[in-house]
Amino acid sequence: MTRLERKESLIRIALLVVAFSAVSVLVVITVFIIEEGTPIMVKYGFKKFLFNLDWFPSEESYGLLPMVIGSIMVTFGALVIGVPFGLACAVFLTEFSSKRLRRVIKPMIELLAGIPSVVYGFMGVVILVPFIRETLGGPGLSVLASSIILGIMILPTIISISVDSLEAVPPAYREGSIALGATRWQTTRMVMFPAARSGIIASIILGMGRAIGETMAVIMIAGNAIAIPRSLLDPVRTLTSNIALEMAYASGEHRQALFATGVILFVIIMILNTIANVTSKRRKA
Amino acid sequence: MGIIEVSDLSFFYGKFQALKNVTLSIEKQKITALIGPSGCGKTTFLRTLNRMNDLVEGACCQGQVLIDGLDIYQKGVDLLELRRKVGLVFQRPNPFPLSIFDNVTYGLRVHGVQDRDVIQERLRWSLESVRLWKELKDSLDRNALSLTGEQQQRLCIARLIAVEPEILLMDEPCSALDLFATEKIEDLMRELKKQYTIVIVTHNMQQAARVSDFTGYFLLGELVEFGETTQIFTAPTDRRTEDYITGRFG
Ligand SMILES: Nc1ncnc2c1ncn2[C@@H]1O[C@H](COP(=O)(O)OP(=O)(O)OP(=O)(O)O)[C@@H](O)[C@H]1O
Ligand SMILES: [Mg+2]
């Protein structure tokens, strides 16, 4: 082996180690959460964990249903708000605005992703929550407030990935459609969307992952009551909030139950990511 | 008077002038070939005829283009209708990544045709006119991208024919095809000329000589010479045309 070759193989090994250490972090987290969280699920029964309504850790009652439903409601609400806005923005930027405008606006939108979530929560508490309390009633800290704030927080994800996938559609498709006498909107709807479909779906699923995993902003504006909300104006607690709120003082089984909460969250997010990966891979095939 | 009358047409990409005072007249149901070296403005000229150049930011157009007597650059022109009437075939076949059926009926849907019978009839008729019906009638659900290059280009022509255009603009329609496929597309053009006016841009002088009735020679944005194909190829009046045709160009 020459000196150069030896150097090359050293570099290769070093890079391999670095790459694997990144993967191993994932493995460690997974193993740790599962190891800490599953025994208690097994002890009390998986079904009870998922479907029991009561969460009274002091009385050994660990029902996560309100939080599961809370997470789903808030995430769904975020999508209801974020997806139409996000897609509208993406379509505007790629199909209806000039290149110059796009070059200014897109980085600004991506900057939104860099704002710490506590700031979003803060804006929610200061502006949105009082507004909802005064105009619509209820405590203000609510499903609605959380949905709106989360809807805004997932915008950058949805917009930038959708814009990328719409831009990746060969311009020849757009031209072909316009040359047949289609309007811009028909072109978008009938050619660009189908052609960019998998990327757009991936953007929505990643946005969804972001919404379901968001913690800080939600704690600040959701109210965090442990009960299944009856209306959009009721407070709600999500899985992530549950962990963050109680971890500081939990011990023993309570602590394990919080890890179990994490396991459930983890599974949900894994499922979403897998779907995102599969759909975006199909695009390249 | 021709179906297309272009007078004193100039075209600018920003500051760059791509067409210089082009004047010509294109006759109905004939094939007109536009030849010239790379970058001389053939594509640009072709695209001014259905205002596809409107898509280019910062471009600007002066002069007059009459199609069927209508000035297509005047205010209030119905661009959608213009582009239905004046179809464009691209250099690289560009079927949509949809089914064959959706490709051919795309223009119909876009122009608001909903009647199923009409759609079926036009589908068949346009695929027949590009000689694809027999091959594809049982696989209309197939994705158009799975077709061969030649089939794709035929499909793109069928897609235009479905909306009953009058004029077909073809921008080097065979440049992505092999010789054999080229020959078949040329046959198709001769067939189509019975119903449509065809303007074809080509790099290939033999092709221009083979299929066209009239030929225009572009050089650096200028229309150097325009006339019957036989005359252009046997007795060009302009020295520059002669050089190009005899291969003494550049
Ligand atoms: N979108 C554009 N912006 C700026 N300049 C352009 C644009 N499109 C074309 N041009 C320029 O205009 C001139 C004519 O281009 P055009 O595409 O019409 O040539 P062409 O004759 O079709 O060439 P080819 O045979 O290579 O297709 C070229 O110099 C080209 O660089
Ligand atoms: Mg060209």
Side-chain angles (χ1 to χ4, degrees), chain B residues 13 16 18 36-45 56 91 171-172 203:
Chain B
Y13 291 108
F16 174 74
S38 207
C40 64
K42 305 178 297 288
T43 298
T44 305
F45 175 76
V56 181
Q91 183 163 358
D171 191 355
E172 305 190 38
H203 250 123

Side-chain angles (χ1 to χ4, degrees), chain A residues 30-249:
Chain A
T30 314
V31 169
F32 186 67
I33 292 181
I34 289 177
E35 194 190 300
E36 294 280 315
T38 40
I40 191 166
M41 284 208 274
V42 172
K43 181 175 170 195
Y44 288 94
F46 185 70
K47 225 162 132 195
K48 231 173 153 191
F49 250 95
L50 255 191
F51 296 112
N52 196 337
L53 281 174
D54 301 311
W55 174 268
F56 293 121
S58 51
E59 293 161 33
E60 298 191 347
S61 166
Y62 303 108
L64 282 174
L65 190 63
M67 282 70 110
V68 171
I69 290 183
S71 272
I72 291 174
M73 278 180 89
V74 165
T75 305
F76 184 74
L79 291 180
V80 166
I81 291 162
V83 170
F85 266 84
L87 293 189
C89 265
V91 166
F92 171 75
L93 286 179
T94 53
E95 306 298 318
F96 292 89
S97 77
S98 67
K99 234 188 220 147
R100 201 172 326 126
L101 192 61
R102 175 157 74 232
R103 264 197 228 124
V104 178
I105 291 185
K106 197 173 168 238
M108 277 163 62
I109 287 172
E110 278 161 0
L111 218 58
L112 273 181
I115 297 177
S117 56
V118 68
V119 173
Y120 283 100
F122 183 67
M123 297 307 278
V125 170
V126 174
I127 299 170
L128 188 61
V129 167
F131 179 78
I132 290 176
R133 192 190 308 130
E134 277 149 33
T135 53
L136 300 171
L141 301 160
S142 57
V143 178
L144 182 62
S146 322
S147 298
I148 293 174
I149 292 295
L150 284 176
I152 295 171
M153 290 178 74
I154 64 176
L155 279 180
T157 309
I158 293 182
I159 294 174
S160 68
I161 297 178
S162 297
V163 165
D164 288 345
S165 61
L166 283 168
E167 277 179 342
V169 174
Y173 294 161
R174 185 185 301 118
E175 291 203 325
S177 171
I178 301 278
L180 275 166
T183 61
R184 280 275 175 175
W185 174 240
Q186 286 172 326
T187 304
T188 306
R189 196 163 48 84
M190 294 163 70
V191 177
M192 303 304 284
F193 265 149
R197 196 188 65 216
S198 51
I200 290 173
I201 293 174
S203 82
I204 292 171
I205 291 173
L206 289 175
M208 198 157 141
R210 169 120 212 249
I212 206 167
E214 176 51 42
T215 312
M216 195 61 218
V218 177
I219 290 180
M220 293 169 77
I221 52 180
N224 304 320
I226 304 170
I228 296 177
R230 303 251 161 111
S231 84
L232 290 180
L233 299 177
D234 283 349
V236 64
R237 179 185 288 203
T238 63
L239 290 165
T240 51
S241 317
N242 195 42
I243 302 173
L245 286 167
E246 300 188 1
M247 206 54 176
Y249 61 85

Side-chain angles (χ1 to χ4, degrees), chain A residues 97-100 172-184 186-188 190-191 194-195, chain B residues 47 50 52 55 57 80 83-84 86 88 90 94-98 106 109-111 145 159-160 163:
Chain A
S97 77
S98 67
K99 234 188 220 147
R100 201 172 326 126
Y173 294 161
R174 185 185 301 118
E175 291 203 325
S177 171
I178 301 278
L180 275 166
T183 61
R184 280 275 175 175
Q186 286 172 326
T187 304
T188 306
M190 294 163 70
V191 177
Chain B
R47 285 172 170 241
N50 68 349
M52 278 302 281
L55 302 187
E57 279 176 42
L80 308 181
R83 288 173 187 153
R84 184 195 65 70
V86 186
L88 178 62
F90 294 77
N94 62 342
F96 305 126
L98 307 170
Y106 184 83
R109 280 177 289 143
V110 155
H111 290 284
L145 299 185
R159 189 169 75 178
L160 295 182
V163 293

